[in-house]
Amino acid sequence: MKKLFATIILSFCSIITFAQDYAYEWRGIMIDVSRHFLPIEYLYKEIDAMEHFGLNRLHLHLTDAAGWRLEIKSRPRLTSVGAWRTEWNWKTWWNGDRGYSDAEHGKGGFYTQEEMKQLVDYASKHGVEIIPEIEFPAHSEEVIAAYPEVGFNHAELDMQKSTTYSLMRDVLTEVANIFPSKYLHLGGDEAATQRELQPEGMRLVKQIVDSLGRKMIVWDEALTDEPSDSDMVIMVWRNPDTAKKAAALGHDVILCPGRYCYLDKAQDAPMYEPEGAGGYLPIDSIFMMPNPQVGSHLLGVQANIWTEHVPTPQHLEYMLWPRAFAIAEIGRLGLTSDRNLRYFRKKALKATEYLHNTLSINAFQLKNERGQRPQQKYKSYSFSINYNTSPHPAYQGVGSTTLLNHKTGGWSNNDGSWQGFIGRQGMDVTLDLGKQKDITQVSADFMQSVAPDIFFPYTIIISTSEDGTTFHPILTHSHAEIYAARNEDYALLTWPIAVRTRYVRLQALPGPKQGWVFCSEIFIK
Ligand code: ACM
């Protein structure tokens, strides 16, 4: 009796301990194995690391245009065609023929069912559940290359054809047989056509998922205003506010907003980092991710590594770690907790040592982190600004003071310190000094990040005016050299002039690649 009592107390304690150990039941990472196929041994390594840090969900993005990565016996062409493309490097392929090939001539690969079952089993023994993602209806070029009859166009499955749902049923039946997970992920993101049909399409695939006894997860585009399918879990990757709407409609939510959870951004000064998708996401920002206030509907948090720009396993490990450790820590502490950044960083340094020394994972060396871009200091007259071209609504910085608040930009183009201009006229502003002044130079701070099409201005034109109406060009300068030099770069550019004037017009024009011009500050003296 005494023994029984002790056992009850012990199990009760272990339940309490479990509850206290982790704030969330979902502490995940997503790996995109489609854009660049990842040999399975690296997934074993990730599982070892996940177990060590308390991460418990491995979401595999198994299908996309770039390759179908799982054997499906009833639909063999998904891999015999869809797993093999004409180029190994995604960027070369995507900017090239986007063609498919075969096992003999193509680049890529797939996991056999037997291999995947073994991985699932290993993961399960190490406290990690693997969740497969099968994209529907978009991101499906490889499916359509294999089975053209299900295509609405080259990229999206036809949501009005019964053959589409037969294929989905065949695929999901085999998928459910390989993965015992409670959840199956059915994509739903970034559909460009048949938008009005998507809610019904998602409902039909959900019926298949329901019939297999599983719950469906979808990306947040598949959220509708209807609360009817509220047992569908919403994975929020765009605006974190979507999480609130989803929770209000009764959905559970997994948070992986791009701004805090997309590990394809650089984790340190971008010009010294390996290639990524553009942007800057240091480990501290992930750890300090704000709480979107969705209460008990928050299932958990996840970091996603998309691999368009990540062609090797070593590069993948570098992008993942130690940043995924920040997700593990949030998953343990919760977003409502007081997060102690200094203590976290100490732990993250130790985690990095462990990743290198014990797991031989090529983690970013946190101890060598350079950190945020320093402020570029410059003297300036004060002036007011008039926009001849407007910054894009998504990139307004802090509004009309952005370019004259004496704050130069950080590494990230969307940190509120930059304004982004798109179009042939680039950035075109008129600066009013209030009265005539002797000026000797104009300077402005720009950035270049080629993956998201942000380029240094190619041509600068400075004009002056006495009356603010009639302008005379006094300087035209080409920046073709720095424009061509580096994929990631930042520069406070200076143009010497010697003139007495009240109005200065600064035009920063895009080059042959068009794209964005991003400016954080203008100085005149
Ligand atoms: C996504 O990033 N398209 C989910």
Side-chain angles (χ1 to χ4, degrees):
M1 184 63 198
K2 222 167 152 186
K3 200 166 159 206
L4 180 64
F5 187 66
T7 316
I8 290 170
I9 293 285
L10 266 178
S11 0
F12 186 67
C13 284
S14 68
I15 288 166
I16 298 275
T17 313
F18 177 77
Q20 286 177 340
D21 271 357
Y22 299 109
Y24 302 126
E25 80 172 71
W26 189 289
R27 306 176 301 280
I29 59 179
M30 186 218 79
I31 302 181
D32 169 8
V33 293
S34 174
R35 268 49 172 261
H36 285 104
F37 179 63
L38 187 68
I40 201 153
E41 60 266 30
Y42 290 94
L43 292 174
Y44 281 90
K45 267 176 100 177
E46 295 314 331
I47 289 163
D48 292 343
M50 290 175 74
E51 179 189 24
H52 185 75
F53 298 120
L55 290 160
N56 68 345
R57 308 289 161 125
L58 176 58
H59 162 183
L60 292 181
H61 185 75
L62 286 168
T63 75
D64 214 300
W68 182 284
R69 304 300 180 203
L70 181 69
E71 178 188 26
I72 301 294
K73 293 184 173 159
S74 60
R75 300 285 180 159
R77 287 175 60 80
L78 288 172
T79 48
S80 66
V81 175
W84 305 101
R85 61 179 191 239
T86 48
E87 288 281 349
W88 172 260
N89 187 287
W90 177 86
K91 206 165 46 170
T92 315
W93 178 75
W94 190 251
N95 295 330
D97 71 357
R98 298 192 192 180
Y100 300 92
S101 180
D102 56 40
E104 192 185 339
H105 306 98
K107 307 287 192 302
F110 64 92
Y111 309 114
T112 66
Q113 296 200 356
E114 205 39 53
E115 281 172 335
M116 191 49 83
K117 280 181 180 163
Q118 281 174 21
L119 183 79
V120 165
D121 186 47
Y122 180 84
S124 154
K125 290 187 174 120
H126 291 263
V128 175
E129 182 174 70
I130 303 187
I131 293 87
E133 180 188 354
I134 304 296
E135 277 276 17
F136 175 91
H139 288 277
S140 294
E141 286 89 337
E142 85 293 22
V143 180
I144 295 155
Y147 296 101
E149 65 273 20
V150 298
F152 176 77
N153 51 29
H154 71 290
E156 300 185 6
L157 303 179
D158 191 328
M159 286 184 279
Q160 288 186 296
K161 276 199 188 142
S162 62
T163 46
T164 299
Y165 300 98
S166 322
L167 179 131
M168 290 306 287
R169 177 169 284 285
D170 288 349
V171 167
L172 292 173
T173 303
E174 292 190 40
V175 163
N177 187 37
I178 302 164
F179 301 90
S181 56
K182 175 171 167 190
Y183 300 95
L184 303 179
H185 197 309
L186 268 292
D189 59 324
E190 299 187 301
T193 59
Q194 312 173 85
R195 294 275 273 274
E196 67 296 347
L197 299 177
Q198 194 173 348
E200 177 62 8
M202 297 313 297
R203 204 181 61 75
L204 292 172
V205 290
K206 184 170 180 297
Q207 279 180 0
I208 303 174
V209 174
D210 287 349
S211 75
L212 294 164
R214 309 304 175 86
K215 284 185 172 241
M216 183 159 98
I217 304 179
V218 287
W219 298 111
D220 61 48
E221 287 92 330
L223 176 66
T224 67
D225 292 330
E226 300 290 323
S228 56
D229 281 334
S230 64
D231 60 334
M232 186 165 87
V233 175
I234 307 296
M235 194 168 258
V236 174
W237 72 279
R238 298 178 302 170
N239 187 345
D241 287 343
T242 311
K244 261 194 242 159
K245 179 182 168 193
L249 287 162
H251 297 277
D252 283 347
V253 169
I254 298 163
L255 278 181
C256 53
R259 192 178 179 134
Y260 299 102
C261 298
Y262 271 35
L263 305 187
D264 52 5
K265 298 175 166 60
Q267 57 201 313
D268 201 1
M271 60 279 210
Y272 303 115
E273 288 298 297
E275 194 181 329
Y280 171 59
L281 179 61
I283 191 168
D284 292 5
S285 299
I286 303 174
F287 182 66
M288 298 309 283
M289 175 163 62
N291 176 18
Q293 319 277 2
V294 290
S296 62
H297 276 294
L298 185 55
L299 217 54
V301 285
Q302 178 172 291
N304 296 340
I305 176 68
W306 300 100
T307 59
E308 284 92 337
H309 304 273
V310 182
T312 67
Q314 292 72 29
H315 190 166
L316 181 100
E317 291 179 354
Y318 184 93
M319 301 307 264
L320 259 175
W321 302 104
R323 286 187 290 187
F325 175 68
I327 291 292
E329 286 297 279
I330 294 174
R332 192 172 63 77
L333 297 166
L335 289 166
T336 52
S337 66
D338 277 336
R339 278 160 277 167
N340 181 330
L341 189 56
R342 277 180 58 152
Y343 180 58
F344 165 73
R345 285 192 64 92
K346 272 195 187 159
K347 287 184 78 175
L349 283 166
K350 274 180 79 174
T352 309
E353 291 305 305
Y354 183 84
L355 286 157
H356 273 275
N357 301 340
T358 308
L359 299 175
S360 302
I361 282 182
N362 180 38
F364 165 72
Q365 272 296 6
L366 191 58
K367 66 180 181 212
N368 299 335
E369 188 181 27
R370 295 165 199 264
Q372 184 53 280
R373 182 176 183 229
Q375 282 292 307
Q376 314 292 299
K377 292 242 179 335
Y378 241 75
K379 286 219 166 67
S380 181
Y381 290 128
S382 55
F383 54 83
S384 61
I385 190 167
N386 231 316
Y387 289 90
N388 306 315
T389 55
S390 301
H392 188 277
Y395 299 107
Q396 304 264 1
V398 288
S400 58
T401 59
T402 308
L403 300 183
L404 36 97
N405 61 2
H406 299 273
K407 286 197 187 121
T408 52
W411 299 132
S412 171
N413 69 304
N414 66 1
D415 65 5
S417 58
W418 296 92
Q419 287 192 326
F421 299 83
I422 187 94
R424 302 187 88 79
Q425 306 307 317
M427 178 179 88
D428 182 349
V429 291
T430 301
L431 314 167
D432 179 358
L433 293 157
K435 60 178 191 196
Q436 288 219 336
K437 289 193 176 153
D438 289 317
I439 63 175
T440 54
Q441 64 185 46
V442 175
S443 312
D445 189 40
F446 293 98
M447 65 176 284
Q448 177 148 296
S449 180
V450 167
D453 284 336
I454 300 170
F455 297 98
F456 281 137
Y458 196 75
T459 310
I460 292 290
I461 303 172
I462 295 176
S463 320
T464 57
S465 167
E466 295 315 309
D467 57 6
T469 313
T470 312
F471 281 83
H472 306 284
I474 57 163
L475 175 140
T476 300
H477 190 97
S478 163
H479 286 288
E481 262 176 48
I482 55 167
Y483 182 88
R486 296 213 283 192
N487 279 357
E488 301 282 342
D489 210 354
Y490 300 77
L492 179 63
L493 303 176
T494 290
W495 309 281
I497 48 178
V499 68
R500 184 170 176 78
T501 188
R502 172 172 172 180
Y503 297 96
V504 176
R505 180 178 176 193
L506 174 63
Q507 291 166 268
L509 301 173
K513 293 179 245 179
Q514 296 297 319
W516 295 88
V517 171
F518 269 80
C519 182
S520 83
E521 195 68 21
I522 300 170
F523 300 106
I524 306 178
K525 70 166 196 177

